[in-house]
């Protein structure tokens, strides 16, 4: 080990803090505290979270955060991979009913072509026989519209007594849209893991001020949300309540069309 974990453990034991006491003080979960002290950073979401936890833990223990971060940087190789592990666009599998629909469309097209050919041949036979078109009737005279019967136009554009009044609340509009579109707005540093329509999940770390749009057919699952207070969710244009407080980890948040129907 490079030494930062030993320094954190020694400082905690010097203060005679148990893991539960340390969790209450630092707001860091026990298993993450153990990972920091053992320098087992694989279970943490990413390097950004590791540095944030190390800095917070060091400050609470009275250590120099910059020294702890420098020791951590010396113990790991530079990260070169992208933050997101999933593509920007979610690829949907083609439904099984597409092939029968294509076959049915081709059958209908063949029937229409057969009818068109038959009608065309019938038209040629009729054209060969002599035909005298009947005289067309004369067009009826248009009646003048008197001022008494002409429609009047109101200046205030107020609908008449028989005009329908359409009520279109926000919940009804959101619920009638096709599919689901979740707009994720990150106001603080946040790590998420998302699964759409039962597809393999993807995860990523987002900084404050960034947004992510996720589209699905019937279900969008937020499997894990690190720092729930730093995420705002809008589903089909409807803003949802806050998922939790800053620093809280929330799991298994399921977004479906039923949420849009609730007030």
């Amino acid at each position: 080990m490079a030494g930062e974990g030993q320094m954190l453990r020694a400082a905690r034991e010097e203060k005679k803090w148990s893991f539960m006491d340390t969790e209450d003080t630092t707001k860091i979960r026990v298993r993450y505290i153990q990972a920091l002290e053992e320098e087992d950073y694989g279970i943490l979401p990413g390097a950004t979270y590791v540095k944030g936890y190390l800095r917070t833990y060091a400050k609470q223990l009275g250590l120099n955060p910059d020294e702890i971060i420098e020791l951590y940087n010396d113990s790991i190789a530079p990260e070169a991979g992208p933050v997101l592990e999933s593509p920007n666009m979610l690829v949907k599998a083609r439904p099984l009913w597409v092939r029968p629909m294509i076959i049915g469309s081709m059958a209908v097209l063949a029937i229409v072509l057969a009818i068109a050919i038959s009608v065309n041949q019938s038209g040629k036979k009729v054209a060969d026989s002599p035909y005298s078109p009947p005289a067309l009737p004369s067009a009826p005279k248009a009646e003048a519209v008197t001022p008494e019967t002409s429609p009047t136009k109101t200046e205030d554009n107020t609908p008449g007594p028989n005009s329908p009044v359409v009520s279109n609340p926000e919940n009804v509009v959101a619920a009638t849209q096709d599919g689901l579109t979740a707009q994720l707005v990150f106001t603080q540093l946040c790590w998420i893991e998302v699964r759409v329509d039962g597809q393999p999940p993807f995860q990523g770390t987002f900084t404050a001020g960034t947004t992510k749009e996720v589209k699905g057919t019937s279900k969008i699952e937020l499997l894990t949300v690190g720092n729930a207070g730093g995420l705002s969710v809008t589903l089909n244009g409807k803003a949802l309540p806050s998922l939790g407080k800053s620093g809280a980890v929330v799991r298994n948040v399921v977004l479906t069309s039923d949420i849009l129907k609730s007030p």
Side-chain angles (χ1 to χ4, degrees):
M1 294 190 296
E4 69 272 13
Q6 296 178 355
M7 294 178 62
L8 294 173
R9 179 181 299 169
R12 177 180 62 80
E13 293 177 350
E14 182 179 355
K15 290 181 176 290
K16 298 181 180 180
W17 287 358
S18 66
F19 285 117
M20 297 303 298
D21 296 335
T22 307
E23 182 181 46
D24 294 339
T25 302
T26 63
K27 307 304 180 184
I28 302 174
R29 300 180 64 179
V30 171
R31 70 190 189 103
Y32 290 161
I33 294 173
Q34 293 175 336
L36 295 176
E37 293 184 357
E38 297 174 2
E39 300 180 19
D40 182 14
Y41 303 121
I43 68 172
L44 278 82
T48 304
Y49 266 81
V50 172
K51 292 181 180 180
Y53 284 149
L54 285 173
R55 189 175 298 277
T56 300
Y57 196 11
K59 287 182 179 179
Q60 294 294 335
L61 294 174
L63 300 176
N64 186 349
D66 295 333
E67 181 180 354
I68 298 297
I69 296 299
E70 184 177 356
L71 290 174
Y72 165 74
N73 290 333
D74 293 339
S75 66
I76 63 172
E79 294 185 0
V83 176
L84 283 178
E85 297 180 0
S86 65
N88 292 331
M89 297 299 294
L90 298 178
V91 180
K92 297 182 179 180
R94 177 176 293 181
L96 297 178
W97 45 263
V98 172
R99 183 174 297 176
M101 177 176 291
I102 295 176
I103 296 175
S105 301
M106 294 178 63
V108 172
L109 180 60
I111 295 173
V112 172
L113 289 175
I115 295 175
I117 294 173
S118 176
V119 172
N120 188 23
Q121 293 178 351
S122 299
K124 289 181 178 179
K125 293 179 179 179
V126 174
D128 294 338
S129 61
Y131 172 74
S132 299
L136 295 176
S138 58
K141 295 182 180 180
E143 296 182 359
V145 179
T146 61
E148 290 78 4
T149 60
S150 62
T152 59
K153 181 178 180 181
T154 58
E155 295 180 357
D156 56 356
N157 295 327
T158 303
N162 296 328
S163 301
V165 178
V166 179
S167 177
N168 201 7
E170 177 185 354
N171 292 348
V172 176
V173 174
T176 54
Q177 294 181 0
D178 293 335
L180 299 174
T181 301
Q183 193 76 16
L184 309 180
V185 180
F186 300 92
T187 58
Q188 301 175 13
L189 180 65
C190 186
W191 178 84
I192 63 170
E193 184 178 9
V194 182
R195 180 167 58 198
V196 179
D197 295 331
Q199 298 293 326
F202 65 91
Q203 61 184 14
T205 301
F206 297 85
T207 58
T210 60
T211 60
K212 175 70 176 178
E213 184 178 80
V214 180
K215 293 186 177 182
T217 302
S218 60
K219 181 168 63 176
I220 299 175
E221 300 175 78
L222 305 181
L223 300 179
T224 305
V225 179
N227 190 15
L231 173 62
S232 299
V233 182
T234 301
L235 185 62
N236 285 21
K238 177 183 177 181
L240 303 184
S242 175
L243 300 181
K245 299 180 180 179
S246 296
V249 179
V250 178
R251 292 181 173 82
N252 299 327
V253 178
V254 181
L255 307 179
T256 63
S257 58
D258 294 336
I259 297 177
L260 304 173
K261 300 176 183 178
S262 61

